[in-house]
Amino acid sequence: MVTMRAEGKCRGVAHKIGCGADDGNEREIGPPRICPYKGERPNKWCARLRPGHVPFSVVPNANEVNPSALSQAQHRAVSELLRVSPVADDLARRFQEAGFSLALVGGSVRDALLGRLGNDLDFTTDARPEDVLKIIRPWADAVWEIGIAFGTVGAQKDARVGDADRSLQIEVTTYRSEAYDRTSRKPEVSYGDSIEEDLVRRDFTVNAMAVALPEKEFIDPHHGRDDLAARVLRTPGTPEASFSDDPLRMLRAARFAAQLDFEVAPEVVKAMKEMAGRIEIVSAERVRDELNKLILSAHPRKGLALLVETGLAEYVLPELPALRLESDEHHRHKDVYEHSLIVLEQAMALEQDGPDLTLRLAALLHDIGKPRTRRFEKDGRVSFHHHEVVGAKMTKKRMLALKYSNELVKDVSRLVELHLRFHGYGTGEWTDSAVRRYVRDAGPLLDRLHKLTRSDCTTRNKRKATALSRAYDGLEERIAQLQEQEELDSIRPDLDGNEIMQILGIRPGPAVGQAYKHLLELRLENGPMEHEAAVAALREWWARQEG
């Protein structure tokens, strides 16, 4: 068994890695025991690790929901912190020499416990930002001050970590507490003097753990390890106080649920429902960034469903809950909300180079035009004519409101507009001209359009699904053949602008663009033309214009 030296007194139920009796003795790590100090759960727990011993335990099973998972796993060692320990300890000693403390904190500790610590390391300190800069500048390979107004100094440290050269992204934040007033979009920042004060202001208990360095002292006053083992999100204080301090934390609850596949505690969900309207005080940019992280997570359905359930989606992405169309009595149309979530998941399954925000947004939003275009026809059918056009406009409007880049807005709205185009293909009735136009209209989005179109098949009719898949296989084969023959990726007229002006004897102006467009239409309709044929077609068109 692994041993630890425990310090400090424990009241009530001992922490799962042993009772913290203040006798300085080493204790074996075993199942939880009842501490002789009876009372409430301990309000602070701290363990100092002996040299050569591992810091603390990994949450053993990603699918385990039993709160006793830690003891069941015999508290396996965390190699993650040992891996980055030389770099972290070196930085901590520099802070100590300057008279300050330093601790690894928040998501870094959580991810170390989950066995997934990456290159991003978050630290907290009692040093003020100006002191942090003095300490870190001579040590780091790069330093930035973008977040210094909020007490955060960023740095990059290139170091040998284990057997590899790594570039560590580091953030050092002064102990702080922050809150919003009801009229401001910016948090009010004030600095604290203790790590306990800092941890209580953090969003969730699983992010309110720290490891003091270089001593390797594990600090968990809010039982984050228990909640990590139980795979549940709770707030260190009351959720109402936490969400009042920063309403964005409500979105972060949904985001972490999606990223970690955790459940959200009932009292937290209740507060999210009651306080959903407070999210309006948060800037669009911060909301957008949280939505991106949620959508790019491993389980976006979980987070999106929570946003809809709590009413938060009504404020940040109202088009999503609007998809929950009431079914007509004959059930002639699908549940568009559920369909959209399935399309998102099916699009994710087709990703090849990691999460694709453009594809995922298009999959999620592709049918948002349906509520506005729904019509009950005389024959009992339900129609959504032109919902792709309406949906593209709605997508553009919503994404601009969330301050997405113009390029991303253009790409996602274009995919939404084109997502139904394939359904005119049938069993292969398209001419080569129609295939060329399909490729031309998709442009650089063609590969994503392929994935979106395939994902948009959620029918339970296996025969219909197979037929659609075969039809799209046929379309992709025809595109590949034409690409090989005609270089479809760069479709352009057989004459360029300079040749047009030379042949027609005209100067730059609207007529050149009109001629170019005419030749492009001929190229799409007939494929490549010989030079002489293109010249003849141009002169014939020009004669009609002059006549």
Side-chain angles (χ1 to χ4, degrees):
M1 277 184 153
V2 177
T3 58
M4 275 188 181
R5 184 179 301 278
E7 296 179 353
K9 288 189 177 181
C10 170
R11 293 174 290 126
V13 180
H15 194 283
K16 285 188 168 60
I17 63 173
C19 177
D22 191 20
D23 54 12
N25 295 326
E26 291 181 8
R27 301 186 181 275
E28 290 187 337
I29 297 177
R33 294 170 290 167
I34 300 299
C35 178
Y37 297 94
K38 294 183 179 181
E40 72 277 14
R41 295 176 74 190
N43 60 13
K44 180 178 178 181
W45 190 91
C46 186
R48 188 184 302 278
L49 299 155
R50 297 175 58 237
H53 283 270
V54 291
F56 40 92
S57 64
V58 173
V59 173
N61 184 347
N63 296 313
E64 178 62 72
V65 295
N66 187 340
S68 65
L70 291 172
S71 59
Q72 292 173 354
Q74 298 298 312
H75 303 284
R76 292 181 303 164
V78 173
S79 61
E80 300 294 288
L81 289 181
L82 293 180
R83 181 170 60 84
V84 299
S85 184
V87 176
D89 288 350
D90 182 29
L91 181 60
R93 279 189 288 269
R94 291 173 181 267
F95 274 78
Q96 272 191 339
E97 291 168 1
F100 301 107
S101 61
L102 187 74
L104 194 70
V105 73
S108 294
V109 177
R110 179 200 70 221
D111 288 345
L113 285 166
L114 291 171
R116 47 177 266 179
L117 183 63
N119 292 333
D120 296 340
L121 301 179
D122 296 328
F123 297 91
T124 189
T125 180
D126 56 347
R128 296 303 190 251
E130 58 272 18
D131 296 313
V132 174
L133 284 172
K134 292 177 183 177
I135 297 169
I136 210 167
R137 280 194 192 280
W139 176 81
D141 294 290
V143 174
W144 51 92
E145 304 177 26
I146 297 174
I148 199 165
F150 301 100
T152 298
V153 174
Q156 176 181 313
K157 180 67 174 178
D158 300 326
R160 187 77 176 175
V161 178
D163 297 329
D165 292 324
R166 310 293 286 270
S167 180
L168 300 175
Q169 304 300 310
I170 291 168
E171 287 192 350
V172 181
T173 302
T174 302
Y175 299 157
R176 68 189 188 193
S177 60
E178 61 188 33
Y180 281 81
D181 65 38
R182 293 192 173 272
T183 60
S184 173
R185 288 180 177 269
K186 296 182 179 180
E188 300 172 351
V189 177
S190 60
Y191 299 128
D193 297 312
S194 70
I195 194 166
E196 289 82 8
E197 184 181 358
D198 180 84
L199 294 179
V200 76
R201 59 153 286 277
R202 292 184 177 262
D203 50 9
F204 302 105
T205 59
V206 296
N207 296 330
M209 299 178 284
V211 177
L213 301 171
E215 300 92 343
K216 306 294 192 304
E217 203 174 69
F218 180 45
I219 305 168
D220 183 19
H222 305 289
H223 311 283
R225 250 184 19 142
D226 292 343
D227 289 337
L228 201 65
R231 303 176 63 77
V232 65
L233 293 172
R234 303 183 194 277
T235 54
T238 67
E240 291 81 7
S242 180
F243 297 156
S244 181
D245 285 346
D246 184 355
L248 188 70
R249 290 173 177 171
M250 294 184 285
L251 280 189
R252 287 169 65 84
R255 189 251 288 187
F256 283 125
Q259 286 183 328
L260 303 173
D261 196 18
F262 279 20
E263 299 303 319
V264 180
E267 68 273 14
V268 177
V269 174
K270 179 175 180 291
M272 291 168 69
K273 291 179 179 178
E274 293 173 350
M275 302 179 67
R278 277 287 279 154
I279 197 67
E280 290 187 301
I281 201 68
V282 181
S283 69
E285 291 85 353
R286 295 184 74 210
V287 169
R288 175 203 63 208
D289 291 345
E290 284 300 323
L291 282 176
N292 285 351
K293 292 173 185 176
L294 189 162
I295 291 169
L296 290 172
S297 70
H299 308 279
R301 169 193 279 267
K302 193 165 197 171
L304 293 167
L306 184 59
L307 293 183
V308 172
E309 175 193 349
T310 58
L312 278 162
E314 297 284 355
Y315 297 94
V316 300
L317 195 63
E319 294 80 5
L320 185 60
L323 293 175
R324 296 179 298 178
L325 298 174
E326 60 279 4
S327 298
D328 63 286
E329 59 182 358
H330 301 294
H331 302 285
R332 297 290 181 88
H333 67 79
K334 299 177 183 177
D335 178 340
V336 185
Y337 169 70
E338 177 65 19
H339 165 76
S340 298
L341 294 180
I342 294 174
V343 172
L344 170 60
E345 292 175 322
Q346 293 185 165
M348 290 167 58
L350 296 177
E351 292 172 335
Q352 297 169 318
D353 300 313
D356 183 343
L357 182 61
T358 304
L359 177 62
R360 293 192 183 192
L361 283 170
L364 180 64
L365 302 176
H366 76 285
D367 272 348
I368 62 172
K370 280 191 170 180
R372 291 190 183 179
T373 58
R374 185 174 62 160
R375 297 290 183 272
F376 294 96
E377 306 295 348
K378 293 181 180 179
D379 61 2
R381 293 182 302 108
V382 179
S383 67
F384 305 96
H385 294 310
H386 307 299
H387 77 268
E388 72 280 12
V389 177
V390 173
K393 294 178 180 177
M394 293 172 63
T395 296
K396 181 179 180 180
K397 182 178 180 180
R398 175 55 50 196
M399 291 185 68
L400 288 175
L402 288 169
K403 307 298 184 183
Y404 279 99
S405 69
N406 290 334
E407 181 179 3
L408 187 59
V409 172
K410 179 181 177 182
D411 287 348
V412 175
S413 57
R414 185 61 167 161
L415 285 170
V416 171
E417 183 181 2
L418 294 175
H419 83 272
L420 276 187
R421 181 74 66 86
F422 161 72
H423 292 279
Y425 185 74
T427 56
E429 291 86 356
W430 277 6
T431 62
D432 285 350
S433 171
V435 175
R436 293 188 193 99
R437 293 176 191 278
Y438 187 78
V439 174
R440 191 273 308 270
D441 291 346
L445 298 171
L446 182 62
D447 183 61
R448 288 187 174 111
L449 183 57
H450 287 332
K451 294 172 182 175
L452 177 59
T453 302
R454 288 187 179 279
S455 303
D456 194 23
C457 177
T458 61
T459 179
R460 296 179 183 178
N461 186 321
K462 292 184 178 180
R463 181 178 298 178
K464 183 178 179 181
T466 299
L468 285 170
S469 179
R470 286 177 178 171
Y472 207 82
D473 288 342
L475 175 59
E476 287 191 325
E477 289 174 6
R478 288 183 64 185
I479 289 173
Q481 293 170 358
L482 288 172
Q483 283 176 326
E484 184 177 352
Q485 298 167 9
E486 304 178 10
E487 299 181 358
L488 283 189
D489 293 333
S490 55
I491 294 179
R492 58 178 59 88
D494 296 282
L495 301 173
D496 62 26
N498 289 328
E499 290 174 306
I500 290 172
M501 289 188 290
Q502 182 180 0
I503 293 168
L504 299 182
I506 59 177
R507 294 179 175 275
V512 178
Q514 294 168 5
Y516 187 93
K517 183 178 180 180
H518 172 71
L519 291 174
L520 178 59
E521 288 297 318
L522 291 179
R523 170 72 172 79
L524 289 167
E525 190 67 33
N526 304 316
M529 301 173 66
E530 295 292 338
H531 182 76
E532 293 78 7
V535 171
L538 175 62
R539 292 188 185 281
E540 180 181 345
W541 172 84
W542 185 243
R544 290 199 302 272
Q545 304 308 304
E546 290 188 318

